Amino acid sequence: MKALKLITAALITAPLLVSCSSSDSDDSVDNKDTLAFAAVPAESSQSLQNDYANLIKLIEKETGKKVEFQNASDYAAVIEGQRAGKIDIASYGPFSYVLAKDSGVMVEPIASPTNDESEKPSYTSLAYVKKNSGIKDLKDLKGKKVCFVDPGSTSGYLVPMKGLMDVGIDMNVDVEPIMAGAHDSSLITLNDGGCDAAFAHDAMLKTLDKTGQVKESDLQSIWESEPLTEDPIAVNTETVDAETVDKITTAIREKANKPALVEEGICTSQEDCVLPEEIEWGYKKVDDSDFDVIRDICETTKAEACEATA
């Protein structure tokens, strides 16, 4: 399998998301009453809109505009949706954000999530194998079936590629890559015997253990990446007027956290306040430079997937 032959092709062929906006794409940004918000599930969940419901309520309250949610099929659909002016706000993975930004999509990252107010928004990529598999490190993956998430995924594709290259493994030649489509699917496929190793976001195994889909004790990590800046929320500055961009930015940076959401009356308590991907605290400010590490990885790996940024 040839690395899905350029994510550029995926971007070109990905179906555009249907606009939720009450305005057509050629309307002035100043008269848009409805904002389209899109996200890609980290897991194969049917409840993604519920996960974002409190963020949507906050944005609606602070901007006075209606927000309609899009459950995107993959990262390429989000990128092309924003490029086409069909998506105003998007939750990206770090790599897919860089692909969008560096290929000319007019997006600005405003905030990323953290589980602790005192900590920067960061996470890691991990490689998992089944307990007692005999696989001890990444070098042992040569000739094996390896589950990845999506060619636009940071922790499920690009960063694992760098990790494998560091130990002399070409993921397009030395392993049999399997694109699972989501972080939970990557680990579930591993657990079910569909691959010998799997890469995923650092929080995913705990989530699957809670839901009873995969026992945490049945898998073990053999590798962990350096910290990466968490998934950014980005606003399309071509489709959203400057005043509304400022309102969204202030709202997410200052009020998209559980204590503030309770104060705003959006959540009844911090314990019952739901945020995407089981975020335990909320969102903190980020900017474009926080994602330069992804650009550095692209420069180092010369990954075909990164060519979409050219």
Side-chain angles (χ1 to χ4, degrees), residues 45-97:
S45 171
Q46 300 301 313
S47 62
L48 189 66
Q49 184 165 351
N50 293 333
D51 293 344
Y52 281 87
N54 289 322
L55 281 184
I56 289 170
K57 289 177 184 177
L58 176 65
I59 294 170
E60 289 181 331
K61 181 178 180 180
E62 296 298 309
T63 64
K65 298 178 183 292
K66 183 179 180 181
V67 177
E68 293 188 356
F69 187 76
Q70 288 274 356
N71 187 341
S73 59
D74 55 29
Y75 295 106
V78 175
I79 295 170
E80 288 309 295
Q82 287 211 304
R83 191 190 310 279
K86 303 295 185 181
I87 298 173
D88 304 300
I89 311 166
S91 177
Y92 277 107
F95 181 35
S96 56
Y97 159 73

Side-chain angles (χ1 to χ4, degrees), residues 171-240:
M171 66 181 284
N172 300 312
V173 176
D174 299 323
V175 302
E176 182 180 339
I178 297 171
M179 297 299 155
H183 289 264
D184 64 337
S185 298
S186 182
L187 296 184
I188 290 170
T189 303
L190 168 64
N191 192 60
D192 291 345
C195 53
D196 301 301
F199 290 92
H201 189 290
D202 61 4
M204 186 49 60
L205 183 55
K206 289 185 181 296
T207 298
L208 292 175
D209 186 71
K210 285 182 182 179
T211 60
Q213 293 173 276
V214 177
K215 289 184 179 179
E216 193 170 359
S217 59
D218 288 345
L219 303 181
Q220 66 182 34
S221 170
I222 60 168
W223 173 85
E224 184 171 15
S225 73
E226 293 296 319
L228 307 159
T229 301
E230 263 284 10
D231 298 359
I233 291 178
V235 179
N236 190 337
T237 58
E238 278 196 324
T239 64
V240 183

